[in-house]
Amino acid sequence: MAYLSLREINKIYPNGFHAVHDFNLDIEQGEFICLVGPSGCGKSTTLRMIAGLENISKGDFLIDGVRANEMGPREREIAMVFQSYALYPHMSVYDNLAFGLSLQGVDEDIIDEKVNNIARILGLTDYLDRKPRALSGGQRQRVAVGRAIIRKVGIFLMDEPLSNLDAKQRVTMRSEITDIHRKVGSTTIYVTHDQTEAMTMADRIVVMKEGYIQQVGTPYELYFNPVNMFVAGFIGEPPMNFIRTNVHDGKITVLGKDIELSHIISDENVSAHEGKPVALGFRPEGIVLGEQENFYVFEATVDLTELLGDNTNVYVSDGDTNLILKVDPHDTPKMDTKIVFSVPYANAYLFDGESEMVIEKK
Ligand code: ATP
């Protein structure tokens, strides 16, 4: 039996806005789940229903098999870290960490042991006497995380906890949070709009759009087997290239060239989509420069190149279609020249142009 079960969960706000639709998810004990999606897709609403800060309009929420819809936040044994991780400014790091336990009347010796232990895990031992204003953003964030995990809780909820940090601190905190999760082992649900955060931290990712779950899967599954164009475009940076066109005689025309669809989808699926709109998708990094046998081969003009150090983003077009290719920086092509590139059949995806669902690969 799953540790947390969300069954047909819906949220309809008092003004009638339906923010979350039929959300179904089983979460195992100790799992790290990321909820991702663009602003307004219902991530925070879902998290707040799990926390007990927002009532569930319809559906069942179970903790360890017990219906928890009506349980208060305290009863749920949950700790939360929010985007604005307000620390008590007049208290030292030690007192910020100890505060929750003091309120509960925990013995001073036990508090001292726990604070020192958490400080060690989080690398805060040298800062215990400092006030929050004398800490860096990343250190403050660690105090906020420490304050949440110092009480032994079963469920740890985080809502965009890294959004106040600069890019470098975010990368560091990402690995620190996964490390803490490994040490503490609490079931964690983490909300972010940043797909890189989700990809690097989660055991499983839930991709949401306009209140609906689009797909649930491991980072690997979402990257290699996206169910629709939304997920394919959301996971991966720069996003997957899409070329919308119609099927004619089992082929599509891409960058002025006719390509056979039977290389990537079954003959039945090719026939089923004859004359219909489809979208070809491939990732910027899913190409090789030059012509390769048994690959789709295209030619396009280089509009712009961006050298990023470990790779170069090459923006190409043929006047109609604009694409991004990721290439080795040593292979950066010159602007305004024509380049040939090849897409392995395994790296090409075909989507139904109307439903935007992936067409099953061969
Ligand atoms: P963000 O990344 O911007 O925080 P989110 O995915 O977390 O977005 P939510 O905060 O869950 O999104 O909001 C989902 C939708 O519900 C939004 O359209 C929002 O405007 C709406 N919403 C949120 N709170 C309320 C409320 N109290 N009453 C009515 N609508 C609300």
Side-chain angles (χ1 to χ4, degrees):
M1 184 176 50
Y3 180 51
L4 299 181
S5 277
L6 292 103
R7 299 198 181 142
E8 303 284 315
I9 298 280
N10 282 266
K11 178 66 191 180
I12 302 161
Y13 279 111
N15 68 355
F17 185 74
H18 201 153
V20 177
H21 299 256
D22 299 334
F23 190 105
N24 279 304
L25 185 67
D26 278 344
I27 302 172
E28 297 301 326
Q29 191 138 31
E31 251 195 310
F32 196 120
I33 298 284
C34 278
L35 305 183
V36 293
S39 184
C41 71
K43 309 178 292 287
S44 299
T45 301
T46 305
L47 199 75
R48 291 170 60 80
M49 287 193 283
I50 295 170
L53 300 172
E54 202 70 71
N55 77 306
I56 296 169
S57 312
K58 214 166 73 186
D60 294 309
F61 173 51
L62 286 80
I63 303 178
D64 227 354
V66 179
R67 193 169 187 272
N69 288 44
E70 273 77 44
M71 277 186 198
R74 278 187 184 277
E75 266 180 285
R76 298 184 188 200
E77 306 252 308
I78 277 169
M80 275 193 92
V81 179
F82 291 102
Q83 190 170 333
S84 55
Y85 40 84
L87 301 174
Y88 301 107
H90 57 286
M91 286 188 195
S92 66
V93 169
Y94 185 100
D95 291 334
N96 265 286
L97 291 172
F99 187 68
L101 296 174
S102 302
L103 273 190
Q104 289 177 354
V106 176
D107 209 65
E108 291 284 321
D109 291 349
I110 295 174
I111 293 181
D112 195 56
E113 194 187 315
K114 285 190 186 245
V115 168
N116 283 309
N117 187 33
I118 288 288
R120 205 168 32 247
I121 292 175
L122 294 169
L124 290 168
T125 307
D126 293 341
Y127 307 98
L128 286 172
D129 296 331
R130 290 207 196 167
K131 299 274 169 58
R133 68 170 174 276
L135 299 175
S136 73
Q139 290 161 343
R140 279 181 220 165
Q141 188 66 56
R142 275 184 264 159
V143 179
V145 170
R147 207 172 48 171
I149 61 177
I150 197 158
R151 293 182 299 126
K152 189 107 187 90
V153 294
I155 309 162
F156 192 28
L157 306 179
M158 294 195 254
D159 194 347
E160 303 260 4
L162 308 186
S163 52
N164 291 333
L165 305 183
D166 66 35
K168 211 164 179 181
Q169 286 173 331
R170 275 209 298 273
V171 175
T172 316
M173 274 308 288
R174 239 159 48 195
S175 55
E176 284 184 10
I177 289 178
T178 6
D179 198 42
I180 295 163
H181 174 253
R182 217 171 298 136
K183 287 178 183 149
V184 179
S186 300
T187 308
T188 302
I189 307 171
Y190 186 106
V191 161
T192 178
H193 64 274
D194 179 344
Q195 62 93 27
T196 315
E197 247 171 65
M199 288 294 278
T200 50
M201 299 169 82
D203 292 319
R204 281 190 303 154
I205 300 173
V206 179
V207 182
M208 296 180 71
K209 179 193 171 196
E210 292 166 8
Y212 288 92
I213 292 185
Q214 302 292 301
Q215 189 170 3
V216 181
T218 62
Y220 187 95
E221 284 163 352
L222 296 195
Y223 182 85
F224 289 105
N225 296 311
V227 295
N228 61 25
M229 289 174 73
F230 180 79
V231 175
F234 194 80
I235 301 289
E237 177 58 34
M240 185 182 275
N241 293 298
F242 296 114
I243 302 144
R244 284 183 177 274
T245 178
N246 281 303
V247 182
H248 57 87
D249 304 324
K251 301 188 194 77
I252 53 173
T253 308
V254 176
L255 296 165
K257 208 171 151 184
D258 285 350
I259 61 168
E260 293 278 354
L261 292 180
S262 59
H263 293 306
I264 53 172
I265 59 169
S266 67
D267 291 339
E268 297 86 73
N269 270 331
V270 175
S271 312
H273 289 85
E274 183 59 38
K276 299 205 173 128
V278 292
L280 178 75
F282 61 87
R283 296 195 181 278
E285 59 275 27
I287 62 119
V288 282
L289 286 175
E291 184 167 343
Q292 302 272 336
E293 233 174 280
N294 297 322
F295 284 32
Y296 288 136
V297 180
F298 302 110
E299 190 181 68
T301 305
V302 177
D303 294 331
L304 181 73
T305 59
E306 286 174 345
L307 176 70
L308 299 172
D310 56 345
N311 67 274
T312 296
N313 288 338
V314 183
Y315 295 78
V316 300
S317 71
D318 72 340
D320 283 340
T321 307
N322 295 297
L323 304 169
I324 307 180
L325 314 177
K326 225 179 195 179
V327 306
D328 187 290
H330 302 294
D331 297 333
T332 304
K334 290 207 171 30
M335 301 234 278
D336 299 323
T337 57
K338 281 201 181 250
I339 58 163
V340 173
F341 64 95
S342 305
V343 179
Y345 301 141
N347 291 356
Y349 298 82
L350 201 69
F351 300 90
D352 184 300
E354 277 157 10
S355 69
E356 303 201 340
M357 299 302 285
V358 75
I359 301 170
E360 198 187 339
K361 297 230 297 181
K362 277 221 288 212

